[in-house]
Amino acid sequence: MEPIYWNCMIAHGITAFSYFGIPIVIGVIFAKTKATIPSQFWLTFFLSGGFVLFCGFHHFLVIFEPYMAVSLLHLGVLDIMAFISLSALLYMMPTADQIVEAIARYEEDTRELQRSQQIQQLFLDQGPFGAYIKDEQSRMLYYNQELQSRFSVNPQEWLGKTDSEFLPDPEEGRRVMENDQVVLKTLRPLKLIEEAKRPGNDQPSYWLSFKFPFSDYATGANRIGGISIEITESIEAQRSLTELNRQLQEKTLQLEAKTQELIYLSDMADMLYSCESEDEVYQVVAFTCSKLFPNMSGCIYIIANSKNYVQMNSFWGGERNSKEIFSQSECWALRRGKLNLLSPGDSGLMCSHLIQPVRGTHLCVPFFGQGEVVGVLHIYALAEISPEDQQITEIIARTLGIALNNLSIKQRLTYDNLRDGMTQLFNQNYMQSITEQRLAEAERSGQPLSVIFLDIDNFKSYNSRYGHLTANIVLQALAKLLLKSVRSFDIACRWGGEEFVIVMPNMTLETLRKRVEQLRIDIEQMQLKDGDQIIESITASFGIAVSEPGITVKDLLNRANQAMLEAKRKGKNRVMEYVNTYN
């Protein structure tokens, strides 16, 4: 029996040693890791520890008890328990450090997770954006402090509510929920701008929202996460910038229009400076008005020289709403001498020259020439004529008046430069230049050009006898006779002193002889008076020459002059024709 006894003692000893060793090892682990036991597990821990210790005491005390007979089954159970207890102790001892390290890592990971969660919570709560989580029915499950501050709610007030239930404008809330459902249906993130008014503020607020779907691993339900940043100030700034850009574009277009108007007016001034007749002046103004006022019609009226009526000179546009001829009294602008406007928005005086029924807007602006009203500029438009267009019309009218004055001065200067001051016939310079032109035309057409050179006979003695004043009267009377005797396209000029030249194109030599002979007779029979006093008649000697191919103006004039001198030598008061024998 002794082997069984010692077997039993050894088994109890090993089991007791193992039971005492396991709590020691666990204590060392807690001491090294400085781990703490949660308060709710203290009772369980102490009861388990007491159970293990008392089990160890039980096996330890059995060693000192007197021998009792045990069955082989009991002895087998004791041996197995001793083996398992010792194996657990021996396995725990070398792995204690690993257990300590695992527990340390776990606790460090736990602390890191807690710090990370705290940072995430701080990030969500203190970030300058609204963060929220909603369920599948768009009910609020979480919202951060930014949303609490923006919408003046406490941490629990919005929970379980939808946007349409909480936001001041239910329609805005419904649109927000529709966006949530798009995220759930597509299971894709959605970035958009949402409008949501805040409580107590009627002004719209705009939010840049980024919504995304995710799954709640605890329940498996779909959730909607979102981050929203208020961009109301940016939207308003963008709108202000857009409005500024629109205003800038309008100002740019207006500036371009003004620039184009200035270009048109400048071009008109340049063209008016080059005009040589009043008709050209009116055509230039009408052309400019058609470009400045493309959606309007208009015409220029001129007061007749008799002052009895006003007649249309130029017209532009597609519709005429005024008479072609009317009296001055029918136009208020002509009667008053200033602008007259008739429009639906500014009913003024209606001019009688307007064609009935009168509609749209009518603007009459008088223009002046040499200090008096000479015409009126009439403009018609279906819409209102803006004050700027009225101002431009007045500028055109003033410019038109200035152009007419300049043209009158220019014509007088041109007349004075081309005419002889005493006889009002063309002067020598003009005669030479126009004869060159007529000679070139004659060469192209194959027609002859005739030149008549005449000189008053014995004019020096006549001048000495009657004096310079009477002699001037004779020269003026001869000039009038020459103008009556020549055709409209013939050119009569004073060559100098008592000498005169007449240029006659397209005339045969036979006809020329007859015309000049008749002119000589007319001069001889001309009655001259100095006041009531009849003075002595005059005679003249004539020389004529006809052009030949290649002849110059100088040679042609010399030939006529030589023929005139030949007439002088042969007794004066006669007509001589240039022939080649004179060379």
Side-chain angles (χ1 to χ4, degrees):
M1 295 297 292
E2 287 186 2
I4 295 175
Y5 172 76
W6 287 110
N7 187 338
C8 184
M9 293 298 105
I10 292 172
H12 281 294
I14 291 173
T15 302
F17 177 76
S18 299
Y19 277 144
F20 288 137
I22 289 175
I24 293 173
V25 172
I26 292 175
V28 172
I29 291 173
F30 272 94
K32 287 186 176 182
T33 60
K34 298 180 181 180
T36 59
I37 301 172
S39 58
Q40 62 267 32
F41 299 122
W42 283 355
L43 181 60
T44 302
F45 179 80
F46 285 120
L47 290 176
S48 300
F51 170 74
V52 172
L53 288 175
F54 278 104
C55 285
F57 278 116
H58 167 71
H59 290 283
F60 179 74
L61 293 176
V62 170
I63 299 174
F64 299 100
E65 290 181 356
Y67 171 75
M68 293 185 298
V70 294
S71 65
L72 293 177
L73 177 62
H74 187 186
L75 181 61
V77 171
L78 286 177
D79 290 340
I80 292 172
M81 184 172 64
F83 175 76
I84 292 175
S85 300
L86 183 61
S87 298
L89 177 62
L90 294 177
Y91 178 77
M92 185 177 293
M93 289 178 64
T95 58
D97 289 338
Q98 296 177 6
I99 295 174
V100 169
E101 291 178 2
I103 293 175
R105 284 196 302 271
Y106 171 76
E107 290 187 345
E108 182 63 26
D109 291 343
T110 302
R111 287 192 296 271
E112 187 64 29
L113 178 61
Q114 291 175 350
R115 286 196 300 271
S116 176
Q117 290 175 343
Q118 291 174 353
I119 291 175
Q120 290 177 6
Q121 191 65 38
L122 289 174
F123 173 76
L124 291 176
D125 284 341
Q126 299 184 12
F129 52 83
Y132 50 87
I133 298 175
K134 301 178 182 179
D135 62 12
E136 294 179 337
Q137 285 74 41
S138 291
R139 292 190 293 257
M140 192 70 72
L141 301 179
Y142 162 80
Y143 53 96
N144 67 349
Q145 292 182 4
E146 178 69 10
L147 289 181
Q148 297 173 27
S149 174
R150 294 283 184 176
F151 289 89
S152 303
V153 293
N154 59 46
Q156 303 296 323
E157 187 175 352
W158 202 344
L159 294 179
K161 295 181 180 180
T162 64
D163 294 281
S164 60
E165 294 174 334
F166 182 80
L167 292 178
D169 188 345
E171 182 62 25
E172 291 179 353
R174 185 185 62 78
R175 289 195 294 267
V176 173
M177 293 171 63
E178 287 178 353
N179 297 331
D180 296 341
Q181 295 305 311
V182 171
V183 174
L184 288 176
K185 289 179 180 179
T186 61
L187 296 178
R188 297 181 62 181
L190 180 64
K191 182 179 179 182
L192 72 162
I193 295 177
E194 295 179 310
E195 181 178 348
K197 294 186 181 70
R198 291 181 290 178
N201 190 350
D202 293 334
Q203 297 299 322
S205 298
Y206 298 94
W207 302 79
L208 176 61
S209 299
F210 183 79
K211 301 184 176 185
F212 53 92
F214 68 95
S215 297
D216 187 346
Y217 294 114
T219 63
N222 289 327
R223 298 288 185 253
I224 303 169
I227 294 177
S228 297
I229 300 176
E230 186 173 2
I231 56 172
T232 304
E233 292 182 359
S234 299
I235 293 293
E236 292 177 350
Q238 184 177 4
R239 288 178 175 175
S240 299
L241 182 60
T242 302
E243 178 64 19
L244 288 176
N245 287 334
R246 186 189 64 79
Q247 294 178 1
L248 180 60
Q249 290 177 353
E250 288 182 356
K251 293 296 183 183
T252 301
L253 291 176
Q254 292 175 1
L255 181 60
E256 290 176 352
K258 290 296 182 184
T259 302
Q260 190 62 53
E261 289 174 356
L262 291 175
I263 292 174
Y264 288 150
L265 292 174
S266 177
D267 291 343
M268 181 185 73
D270 289 339
M271 289 187 288
L272 289 176
Y273 181 78
S274 303
C275 290
E276 295 184 353
S277 67
E278 290 187 4
D279 285 340
E280 289 183 348
V281 170
Y282 300 136
Q283 290 174 10
V284 167
V285 172
F287 175 70
T288 303
C289 288
S290 67
K291 293 196 294 184
L292 285 171
F293 311 122
N295 299 322
M296 304 181 192
S297 300
C299 49
I300 300 174
Y301 288 97
I302 308 301
I303 299 175
N305 293 331
S306 63
K307 310 295 182 182
N308 293 328
Y309 63 92
V310 182
Q311 185 171 9
M312 182 185 298
N313 179 279
S314 301
F315 172 79
W316 73 90
E319 188 173 358
R320 194 175 66 199
N321 298 84
S322 179
K323 301 176 184 177
E324 289 191 22
I325 299 177
F326 56 88
S327 64
Q328 292 191 51
S329 61
E330 292 184 83
C331 181
W332 282 102
L334 292 176
R335 291 166 66 179
R336 301 163 62 201
K338 64 179 183 180
L339 176 149
N340 185 66
L341 176 66
L342 175 66
S343 67
D346 183 14
S347 57
L349 298 170
M350 183 183 296
C351 295
S352 301
H353 62 85
L354 300 179
I355 298 175
Q356 297 293 336
V358 178
R359 62 184 186 278
T361 303
H362 295 267
L363 177 66
C364 294
V365 182
F367 55 90
F368 297 79
Q370 298 181 358
E372 63 178 2
V373 178
V374 296
V376 64
L377 180 61
H378 172 253
I379 293 180
Y380 162 74
L382 288 174
E384 295 282 347
I385 298 178
S386 66
E388 292 79 10
D389 288 341
Q390 296 178 32
Q391 186 177 14
I392 292 174
T393 306
E394 291 185 287
I395 292 174
I396 293 174
R398 286 196 298 268
T399 306
L400 175 56
I402 294 171
L404 291 174
N405 286 336
N406 291 339
L407 179 62
S408 177
I409 295 172
K410 180 180 178 181
Q411 288 176 340
R412 285 201 304 270
L413 291 174
T414 302
Y415 185 88
D416 292 342
N417 289 333
L418 300 180
R419 302 281 178 172
D420 174 63
M422 179 185 298
T423 62
Q424 299 305 307
L425 298 177
F426 290 113
N427 57 30
Q428 183 181 144
N429 290 334
Y430 178 75
M431 190 277 299
Q432 287 181 320
S433 62
I434 197 64
T435 303
E436 289 182 358
Q437 180 180 339
R438 294 289 189 268
L439 187 58
E441 293 173 355
E443 292 230 357
R444 279 199 306 271
S445 64
Q447 298 291 330
L449 180 70
S450 303
V451 174
I452 305 167
F453 212 114
L454 68 95
D455 182 87
I456 300 175
D457 295 330
N458 304 316
F459 191 71
K460 289 183 180 179
S461 61
Y462 194 94
N463 194 9
S464 300
R465 178 181 175 185
Y466 290 101
H468 291 293
L469 294 178
T470 301
N472 289 343
I473 293 174
V474 172
L475 292 175
Q476 291 172 352
L478 177 58
K480 290 181 181 179
L481 177 62
L482 293 179
L483 289 176
K484 287 175 58 178
S485 302
V486 299
R487 298 168 297 181
S488 60
F489 51 85
D490 293 337
I491 304 165
C493 76
R494 184 184 181 192
W495 184 257
E498 65 273 17
E499 296 177 326
F500 298 83
V501 174
I502 303 173
V503 179
M504 290 186 168
N506 302 331
M507 184 175 291
T508 64
L509 183 58
E510 185 63 27
T511 303
L512 177 63
R513 292 193 188 105
K514 292 179 181 179
R515 293 290 297 273
V516 177
E517 182 60 28
Q518 184 60 49
L519 179 59
R520 184 193 66 79
I521 295 172
D522 291 341
I523 293 174
E524 185 178 18
Q525 296 176 352
M526 183 173 54
Q527 290 185 355
L528 300 174
K529 289 183 179 182
D530 184 3
D532 294 333
Q533 179 185 1
I534 297 177
I535 58 179
E536 181 182 352
S537 299
I538 61 172
T539 62
S541 299
F542 292 81
I544 60 175
V546 180
S547 65
E548 296 176 356
I551 194 170
T552 64
V553 172
K554 181 179 179 182
D555 291 340
L556 185 59
L557 289 172
N558 284 335
R559 288 183 178 185
N561 186 41
Q562 290 176 22
M564 184 272 295
L565 294 177
E566 182 64 19
K568 290 280 190 183
R569 285 193 293 270
K570 289 193 174 184
K572 303 177 182 178
N573 191 22
R574 66 187 61 216
V575 179
M576 295 297 297
E577 176 185 346
Y578 173 82
V579 293
N580 288 333
T581 56
Y582 293 156
N583 292 332

Short mmCIF file of all heavy atoms in Angstrom, two decimals, residues 308-346:
data_model
loop_
_atom_site.label_atom_id
_atom_site.label_comp_id
_atom_site.label_asym_id
_atom_site.label_seq_id
_atom_site.Cartn_x
_atom_site.Cartn_y
_atom_site.Cartn_z
N ASN A 308 -41.44 130.54 -97.67
CA ASN A 308 -42.87 130.23 -97.67
C ASN A 308 -43.18 128.79 -97.30
O ASN A 308 -44.31 128.48 -96.91
CB ASN A 308 -43.48 130.54 -99.04
CG ASN A 308 -43.46 132.02 -99.35
OD1 ASN A 308 -43.57 132.85 -98.44
ND2 ASN A 308 -43.31 132.36 -100.63
N TYR A 309 -42.22 127.90 -97.43
CA TYR A 309 -42.50 126.49 -97.13
C TYR A 309 -41.20 125.78 -96.75
O TYR A 309 -40.10 126.31 -96.91
CB TYR A 309 -43.14 125.79 -98.33
CG TYR A 309 -42.27 125.74 -99.58
CD1 TYR A 309 -41.44 124.65 -99.83
CD2 TYR A 309 -42.29 126.79 -100.49
CE1 TYR A 309 -40.64 124.61 -100.95
CE2 TYR A 309 -41.49 126.76 -101.62
CZ TYR A 309 -40.67 125.66 -101.85
OH TYR A 309 -39.87 125.63 -102.97
N VAL A 310 -41.37 124.58 -96.22
CA VAL A 310 -40.26 123.72 -95.81
C VAL A 310 -40.35 122.44 -96.63
O VAL A 310 -41.44 121.86 -96.75
CB VAL A 310 -40.31 123.39 -94.31
CG1 VAL A 310 -39.11 122.54 -93.90
CG2 VAL A 310 -40.38 124.65 -93.49
N GLN A 311 -39.22 121.99 -97.19
CA GLN A 311 -39.24 120.83 -98.08
C GLN A 311 -38.22 119.80 -97.62
O GLN A 311 -37.12 120.13 -97.16
CB GLN A 311 -38.92 121.26 -99.51
CG GLN A 311 -39.02 120.11 -100.53
CD GLN A 311 -38.91 120.61 -101.96
OE1 GLN A 311 -38.60 121.78 -102.18
NE2 GLN A 311 -39.17 119.75 -102.91
N MET A 312 -38.60 118.50 -97.74
CA MET A 312 -37.71 117.40 -97.37
C MET A 312 -36.54 117.34 -98.34
O MET A 312 -36.71 117.42 -99.55
CB MET A 312 -38.46 116.07 -97.38
CG MET A 312 -37.62 114.87 -96.95
SD MET A 312 -38.51 113.31 -97.11
CE MET A 312 -39.85 113.59 -95.96
N ASN A 313 -35.33 117.21 -97.77
CA ASN A 313 -34.13 117.11 -98.60
C ASN A 313 -33.55 115.70 -98.60
O ASN A 313 -33.20 115.15 -99.63
CB ASN A 313 -33.07 118.11 -98.12
CG ASN A 313 -31.79 118.02 -98.92
OD1 ASN A 313 -30.96 117.15 -98.67
ND2 ASN A 313 -31.63 118.93 -99.89
N SER A 314 -33.45 115.10 -97.38
CA SER A 314 -32.85 113.75 -97.25
C SER A 314 -33.70 112.92 -96.31
O SER A 314 -34.36 113.46 -95.40
CB SER A 314 -31.41 113.84 -96.72
OG SER A 314 -30.60 114.61 -97.58
N PHE A 315 -33.67 111.60 -96.49
CA PHE A 315 -34.48 110.70 -95.68
C PHE A 315 -33.69 109.41 -95.42
O PHE A 315 -32.94 108.96 -96.27
CB PHE A 315 -35.79 110.39 -96.42
CG PHE A 315 -36.61 109.32 -95.76
CD1 PHE A 315 -37.38 109.60 -94.66
CD2 PHE A 315 -36.60 108.00 -96.24
CE1 PHE A 315 -38.15 108.62 -94.04
CE2 PHE A 315 -37.35 107.01 -95.64
CZ PHE A 315 -38.13 107.33 -94.54
N TRP A 316 -33.86 108.83 -94.23
CA TRP A 316 -33.26 107.53 -93.93
C TRP A 316 -34.25 106.72 -93.09
O TRP A 316 -35.15 107.26 -92.47
CB TRP A 316 -31.92 107.68 -93.20
CG TRP A 316 -32.06 108.12 -91.77
CD1 TRP A 316 -32.19 107.34 -90.67
CD2 TRP A 316 -32.09 109.47 -91.31
NE1 TRP A 316 -32.29 108.10 -89.54
CE2 TRP A 316 -32.23 109.41 -89.91
CE3 TRP A 316 -32.00 110.71 -91.92
CZ2 TRP A 316 -32.29 110.55 -89.12
CZ3 TRP A 316 -32.07 111.85 -91.15
CH2 TRP A 316 -32.21 111.76 -89.76
N GLY A 317 -34.04 105.41 -93.06
CA GLY A 317 -34.93 104.53 -92.31
C GLY A 317 -36.00 103.93 -93.19
O GLY A 317 -36.11 104.22 -94.38
N GLY A 318 -36.84 103.09 -92.59
CA GLY A 318 -37.82 102.35 -93.37
C GLY A 318 -39.21 102.94 -93.36
O GLY A 318 -40.08 102.47 -94.10
N GLU A 319 -39.46 103.97 -92.57
CA GLU A 319 -40.83 104.49 -92.47
C GLU A 319 -40.79 106.01 -92.40
O GLU A 319 -39.97 106.59 -91.67
CB GLU A 319 -41.51 103.93 -91.21
CG GLU A 319 -42.99 104.26 -91.13
CD GLU A 319 -43.65 103.56 -89.95
OE1 GLU A 319 -42.95 102.80 -89.25
OE2 GLU A 319 -44.86 103.77 -89.75
N ARG A 320 -41.67 106.64 -93.16
CA ARG A 320 -41.76 108.10 -93.17
C ARG A 320 -43.06 108.51 -92.53
O ARG A 320 -44.14 108.06 -92.93
CB ARG A 320 -41.66 108.64 -94.59
CG ARG A 320 -41.41 110.15 -94.64
CD ARG A 320 -41.19 110.60 -96.06
NE ARG A 320 -42.40 110.43 -96.84
CZ ARG A 320 -42.43 110.40 -98.17
NH1 ARG A 320 -41.29 110.47 -98.85
NH2 ARG A 320 -43.56 110.26 -98.83
N ASN A 321 -42.99 109.35 -91.52
CA ASN A 321 -44.17 109.75 -90.76
C ASN A 321 -44.38 111.25 -90.77
O ASN A 321 -45.02 111.80 -89.87
CB ASN A 321 -44.05 109.27 -89.30
CG ASN A 321 -43.95 107.77 -89.19
OD1 ASN A 321 -42.86 107.22 -89.33
ND2 ASN A 321 -45.06 107.10 -88.97
N SER A 322 -43.85 111.93 -91.79
CA SER A 322 -43.99 113.37 -91.88
C SER A 322 -44.18 113.77 -93.33
O SER A 322 -43.73 113.09 -94.25
CB SER A 322 -42.75 114.05 -91.29
OG SER A 322 -42.86 115.45 -91.38
N LYS A 323 -44.87 114.91 -93.55
CA LYS A 323 -45.12 115.39 -94.89
C LYS A 323 -43.82 115.77 -95.59
O LYS A 323 -42.83 116.10 -94.95
CB LYS A 323 -46.03 116.62 -94.84
CG LYS A 323 -47.38 116.38 -94.18
CD LYS A 323 -48.16 117.69 -94.10
CE LYS A 323 -49.48 117.52 -93.35
NZ LYS A 323 -50.19 118.82 -93.22
N GLU A 324 -43.85 115.73 -96.91
CA GLU A 324 -42.66 116.14 -97.67
C GLU A 324 -42.55 117.66 -97.72
O GLU A 324 -41.44 118.20 -97.70
CB GLU A 324 -42.73 115.57 -99.09
CG GLU A 324 -42.52 114.07 -99.18
CD GLU A 324 -42.32 113.61 -100.61
OE1 GLU A 324 -41.93 114.44 -101.45
OE2 GLU A 324 -42.56 112.43 -100.87
N ILE A 325 -43.67 118.36 -97.81
CA ILE A 325 -43.67 119.82 -97.88
C ILE A 325 -44.71 120.34 -96.89
O ILE A 325 -45.82 119.83 -96.83
CB ILE A 325 -44.00 120.31 -99.31
CG1 ILE A 325 -42.95 119.82 -100.31
CG2 ILE A 325 -44.08 121.84 -99.34
CD1 ILE A 325 -43.26 120.20 -101.74
N PHE A 326 -44.31 121.34 -96.11
CA PHE A 326 -45.24 121.96 -95.17
C PHE A 326 -44.75 123.37 -94.86
O PHE A 326 -43.62 123.75 -95.20
CB PHE A 326 -45.39 121.13 -93.88
CG PHE A 326 -44.09 120.87 -93.17
CD1 PHE A 326 -43.58 121.76 -92.23
CD2 PHE A 326 -43.35 119.71 -93.44
CE1 PHE A 326 -42.39 121.52 -91.57
CE2 PHE A 326 -42.16 119.46 -92.79
CZ PHE A 326 -41.68 120.37 -91.86
N SER A 327 -45.59 124.14 -94.22
CA SER A 327 -45.21 125.52 -93.86
C SER A 327 -44.45 125.52 -92.55
O SER A 327 -44.55 124.58 -91.75
CB SER A 327 -46.46 126.40 -93.74
OG SER A 327 -47.28 125.94 -92.67
N GLN A 328 -43.70 126.61 -92.31
CA GLN A 328 -42.90 126.71 -91.08
C GLN A 328 -43.78 126.65 -89.84
O GLN A 328 -43.37 126.14 -88.80
CB GLN A 328 -42.09 128.00 -91.08
CG GLN A 328 -40.99 128.06 -92.13
CD GLN A 328 -40.07 129.24 -91.90
OE1 GLN A 328 -39.57 129.44 -90.80
NE2 GLN A 328 -39.85 130.02 -92.96
N SER A 329 -44.99 127.20 -89.94
CA SER A 329 -45.86 127.26 -88.78
C SER A 329 -46.36 125.88 -88.34
O SER A 329 -46.88 125.74 -87.23
CB SER A 329 -47.07 128.16 -89.08
OG SER A 329 -47.82 127.63 -90.17
N GLU A 330 -46.19 124.86 -89.18
CA GLU A 330 -46.65 123.52 -88.83
C GLU A 330 -45.66 122.76 -87.95
O GLU A 330 -45.96 121.65 -87.51
CB GLU A 330 -46.93 122.71 -90.12
CG GLU A 330 -48.10 123.21 -90.92
CD GLU A 330 -48.38 122.32 -92.12
OE1 GLU A 330 -49.06 121.28 -91.94
OE2 GLU A 330 -47.91 122.65 -93.23
N CYS A 331 -44.49 123.32 -87.73
CA CYS A 331 -43.47 122.65 -86.90
C CYS A 331 -43.16 123.53 -85.70
O CYS A 331 -42.73 124.67 -85.84
CB CYS A 331 -42.20 122.39 -87.71
SG CYS A 331 -40.90 121.55 -86.76
N TRP A 332 -43.42 122.98 -84.49
CA TRP A 332 -43.18 123.74 -83.28
C TRP A 332 -41.69 124.04 -83.08
O TRP A 332 -41.33 125.08 -82.52
CB TRP A 332 -43.72 122.98 -82.07
CG TRP A 332 -45.19 123.08 -81.91
CD1 TRP A 332 -46.13 122.16 -82.24
CD2 TRP A 332 -45.90 124.22 -81.40
NE1 TRP A 332 -47.39 122.62 -81.98
CE2 TRP A 332 -47.28 123.89 -81.45
CE3 TRP A 332 -45.52 125.45 -80.91
CZ2 TRP A 332 -48.27 124.76 -81.02
CZ3 TRP A 332 -46.51 126.34 -80.49
CH2 TRP A 332 -47.86 126.00 -80.55
N ALA A 333 -40.82 123.16 -83.53
CA ALA A 333 -39.38 123.41 -83.40
C ALA A 333 -38.96 124.62 -84.22
O ALA A 333 -38.13 125.43 -83.79
CB ALA A 333 -38.59 122.17 -83.81
N LEU A 334 -39.52 124.76 -85.44
CA LEU A 334 -39.19 125.91 -86.27
C LEU A 334 -39.81 127.18 -85.70
O LEU A 334 -39.21 128.26 -85.76
CB LEU A 334 -39.68 125.67 -87.70
CG LEU A 334 -38.96 124.57 -88.49
CD1 LEU A 334 -39.60 124.39 -89.86
CD2 LEU A 334 -37.47 124.91 -88.64
N ARG A 335 -41.01 127.07 -85.17
CA ARG A 335 -41.68 128.25 -84.62
C ARG A 335 -40.98 128.76 -83.36
O ARG A 335 -40.86 129.96 -83.15
CB ARG A 335 -43.14 127.92 -84.31
CG ARG A 335 -43.96 127.69 -85.57
CD ARG A 335 -45.30 127.04 -85.26
NE ARG A 335 -46.18 127.90 -84.48
CZ ARG A 335 -47.42 127.56 -84.10
NH1 ARG A 335 -47.91 126.37 -84.49
NH2 ARG A 335 -48.16 128.37 -83.40
N ARG A 336 -40.52 127.81 -82.52
CA ARG A 336 -39.91 128.21 -81.25
C ARG A 336 -38.40 128.35 -81.32
O ARG A 336 -37.78 128.94 -80.44
CB ARG A 336 -40.26 127.18 -80.17
CG ARG A 336 -41.76 127.02 -79.94
CD ARG A 336 -42.07 125.74 -79.20
NE ARG A 336 -41.46 125.72 -77.87
CZ ARG A 336 -41.22 124.62 -77.19
NH1 ARG A 336 -41.51 123.44 -77.73
NH2 ARG A 336 -40.67 124.67 -76.00
N GLY A 337 -37.81 127.71 -82.35
CA GLY A 337 -36.35 127.77 -82.49
C GLY A 337 -35.62 126.89 -81.52
O GLY A 337 -34.45 127.11 -81.22
N LYS A 338 -36.29 125.84 -81.00
CA LYS A 338 -35.62 124.90 -80.11
C LYS A 338 -36.29 123.53 -80.21
O LYS A 338 -37.36 123.39 -80.81
CB LYS A 338 -35.62 125.40 -78.67
CG LYS A 338 -37.00 125.53 -78.05
CD LYS A 338 -36.87 126.00 -76.61
CE LYS A 338 -38.23 126.07 -75.92
NZ LYS A 338 -38.10 126.52 -74.51
N LEU A 339 -35.67 122.54 -79.59
CA LEU A 339 -36.09 121.15 -79.69
C LEU A 339 -37.55 120.98 -79.27
O LEU A 339 -38.02 121.62 -78.32
CB LEU A 339 -35.18 120.29 -78.81
CG LEU A 339 -35.47 118.80 -78.65
CD1 LEU A 339 -34.14 118.06 -78.45
CD2 LEU A 339 -36.35 118.53 -77.43
N ASN A 340 -38.26 120.07 -79.98
CA ASN A 340 -39.63 119.71 -79.61
C ASN A 340 -39.75 118.18 -79.62
O ASN A 340 -39.43 117.52 -80.61
CB ASN A 340 -40.64 120.31 -80.57
CG ASN A 340 -42.07 120.03 -80.11
OD1 ASN A 340 -42.49 120.52 -79.08
ND2 ASN A 340 -42.80 119.25 -80.89
N LEU A 341 -40.18 117.62 -78.47
CA LEU A 341 -40.26 116.16 -78.31
C LEU A 341 -41.72 115.78 -78.06
O LEU A 341 -42.38 116.34 -77.20
CB LEU A 341 -39.39 115.70 -77.14
CG LEU A 341 -39.46 114.20 -76.79
CD1 LEU A 341 -38.89 113.36 -77.92
CD2 LEU A 341 -38.72 113.92 -75.48
N LEU A 342 -42.17 114.79 -78.80
CA LEU A 342 -43.51 114.21 -78.62
C LEU A 342 -43.35 112.71 -78.45
O LEU A 342 -42.88 112.01 -79.35
CB LEU A 342 -44.41 114.51 -79.82
CG LEU A 342 -45.80 113.87 -79.79
CD1 LEU A 342 -46.64 114.46 -78.65
CD2 LEU A 342 -46.51 114.06 -81.13
N SER A 343 -43.71 112.19 -77.26
CA SER A 343 -43.54 110.76 -77.00
C SER A 343 -44.65 110.29 -76.09
O SER A 343 -45.29 111.09 -75.39
CB SER A 343 -42.18 110.49 -76.33
OG SER A 343 -42.15 111.05 -75.02
N PRO A 344 -44.93 108.96 -76.05
CA PRO A 344 -45.98 108.44 -75.17
C PRO A 344 -45.71 108.75 -73.70
O PRO A 344 -46.63 108.99 -72.93
CB PRO A 344 -45.96 106.93 -75.44
CG PRO A 344 -45.35 106.80 -76.80
CD PRO A 344 -44.37 107.92 -76.92
N GLY A 345 -44.42 108.73 -73.30
CA GLY A 345 -44.10 108.98 -71.91
C GLY A 345 -43.92 110.44 -71.58
O GLY A 345 -43.85 110.82 -70.41
N ASP A 346 -43.82 111.30 -72.60
CA ASP A 346 -43.62 112.74 -72.38
C ASP A 346 -44.41 113.49 -73.44
O ASP A 346 -43.88 113.95 -74.43
CB ASP A 346 -42.12 113.08 -72.44
CG ASP A 346 -41.86 114.55 -72.15
OD1 ASP A 346 -42.78 115.21 -71.64
OD2 ASP A 346 -40.75 115.03 -72.45
#
